[in-house]
Structures are given as C-alpha cells and as structure tokens.
Amino acid sequence: FGVDWKQSKDGLLSNRMQDRGLQVLHMLCKSAVEKGGTRAATIATEVFRKAGNGEAYLERVKAEVGLTASIVTQEQEGRLGFLTAAGLSGVPRPNLVSWDCGGASFQICREAFTNKGASSSALPPLLLFLAPLGVSVVTAACVEQVQKKDFATVVTPNPVAPAEAEELMAHVRSLLPAVPDWLQGCEGVVAIGGPNSMFRLATEIVGALEGSAPVRSFTPAQVRKALGAVVGRSEADLRATYCNRELADPASFVVPKMALLLAVMDACQLPRVSFQPAIGSCAGILVSNELYPDDQ
C-alpha cells in the first residue's frame, strides 16, 4: 500500500491495490474463522492516514469484508508495538525499548517511569521517538532524491551503487528528529517484525555472512556489512536470494531496508538491536480491548 500510494500521481490508492488488499483480508478472515476466531480488531496506519481515499477504502473493508478498522495515530502505533514487544520478548517493561517499522513510519518507545518505579497510572505514558520514515518511503527517496528518477515509472532503485546507499542514509538522517537522551546509546532495544521486516532481513543477511543461521541481534558494524552485501546487485539477484517466499516484499526494498536500519542505529548510537519475531503488532492489538467494535 505504501509503494502504491507513493507511486500515484494523485495521492490515491489504486483500484488494483485496493482489490488485492480485500483479497488478502478475506483470506486472513477465513483462516481465522477456521482456527476458531470469533472477534476481530483491525487497525489502519500511516498510509491510510495520508492517502486521499484511505478512509473510503476502509469503508469498503467494512462493507465487503465485515471488518471495522480504526485509523490509529503514530503514538497509538507505538503503544501497540510496545505491548507486542512486552508480551513476546520477556524483557521487563521498565527495561524495554521497542522499535517497530512499517512501510511509511517507525516508532521507538519506552514507558515513562519515576525514580520510585512505575508511574501511578494504569498505563504509564510513553516516551516516543517517531518519524514518518518507513520502507516504502525510503525506497521512494532512493529513486527520487538520490537517483533523480520518477518513482511513478521507475519502480526499483536496483542496482543501488554504494555511493547512492551512503547518500540515502545521509538523507534519512537529515529527516530524523532530535534523538532524546533516553534513547541515545540505549542498550537492549527490541525490534519487532514479521517475515518481511527490515529487522528479520538483517538477521538473515548477517547470519549468512557469518556462516550461521539467522542471528537474533546485530550491531551497526554487522548491518553495515549486510548493506555492503546487497548494494550493486540486480533486481533479479536480490529477488532470488531474499524475496522468494509467498507474499514477500519486493526486491526493491532490500537496500532501502538496510540503509534505513543503519541510518537510525547510527543516529541513535545504538550498540545492538535484538529482533523479536512477531506478526506486526498483533500481540499488542490482541490485548487492546478498546480496538474491538462494541457490536462484537
């Protein structure tokens, strides 16, 4: 959806992508019901906030699939990502810093605690480091800002030259907000994501370079080597190596994923990031009762 919106001339989601999204949602609902699911919560994130027909598409989702979607803010996305990381990682919440990244934005969060422990509220407020920078946004920037091409007609930046990858990272860093003290140099950041997340891709590439299975954490130096392993390679080569699964992201995302990951780690001076496999923010959504429609 993010790429489709960035490639549009009118700021609208295409009919082709809308129809494909409805097909996938029908498939997911069918699978959930077969597994005994009786209630559903659906969230819509950055691209549906920005696309001119984002809300109209969600009305189609309600009418044709039967799902009522809530358009969440970046702050709510951060909360759902934090709850997902807390539920799956086992890291105590006072020590947890979560990182979630999608197609159009990322959120790095931790809960605010007093010196005496947790704050008095049932849900402590979040400390947030947010940016409207996701994989599709950075891919578009690679084509348009770095390679000076039209993303509406040039759908992939591959092959990306090493110098172009460095320029892309500089562009990403220029768009980041000031890094807060609580995040600068933070150890123990837990990144969540599914099979297509940039974090999972990093574990795969780093593991392959080190002759092992995918690793569970990585340093900036390891991500830089991963970036070096994917620059200069063709679309077909990257697709065959990293994007040969069903519903895999396109190969056009491979270099932008590593560039975005490394740019943020460098800007925040993060010594290491741990990867927690998750299906999006589903674990956080599961325990967020306010997202479930009253009629269910």
Side-chain angles (χ1 to χ4, degrees), residues 41-224:
T42 312
I43 65 166
T45 56
E46 185 80 8
V47 67
F48 301 100
R49 295 193 290 263
K50 290 185 174 180
N53 57 349
E55 291 193 30
Y57 173 68
L58 298 180
E59 288 299 320
R60 287 190 65 191
V61 170
K62 183 176 181 179
E64 299 179 34
V65 186
L67 295 173
T68 300
S70 303
I71 298 181
V72 296
T73 65
Q74 261 205 291
E75 290 77 8
Q76 289 171 316
E77 276 192 80
R79 172 67 71 182
L80 294 173
F82 183 88
L83 291 173
T84 295
L88 298 179
S89 70
V91 176
R93 286 172 65 154
N95 301 330
L96 178 63
V97 176
S98 66
W99 185 0
D100 188 16
C101 182
S105 64
F106 75 77
Q107 305 85 35
I108 303 179
C109 311
R110 75 175 303 165
E111 286 183 328
F113 286 85
T114 67
N115 292 334
K116 296 180 180 180
S119 66
S120 58
S121 61
L123 272 178
L126 280 183
L127 302 173
L128 302 164
F129 182 66
L130 313 173
L133 291 167
V135 175
S136 61
V137 174
V138 174
T139 302
C142 188
V143 173
E144 294 177 339
Q145 303 297 323
V146 176
Q147 298 178 334
K148 309 302 182 185
K149 299 175 182 178
D150 183 4
F151 194 46
T153 56
V154 178
V155 298
T156 178
N158 294 320
V160 180
E164 291 175 332
E166 292 296 328
E167 185 177 346
L168 179 60
M169 287 191 292
H171 176 71
V172 169
R173 288 193 294 268
S174 74
L175 298 177
L176 294 174
V179 179
D181 291 341
W182 61 264
L183 180 58
Q184 194 78 44
C186 179
E187 297 184 12
V189 173
V190 176
I192 62 169
N196 286 330
S197 75
M198 65 181 184
F199 312 113
R200 191 215 61 83
L201 180 62
T203 67
E204 178 184 348
I205 300 174
V206 169
L209 291 173
E210 297 182 353
S212 61
V215 297
R216 290 300 300 270
S217 66
F218 41 80
T219 65
Q222 288 174 313
V223 178
R224 180 165 288 281

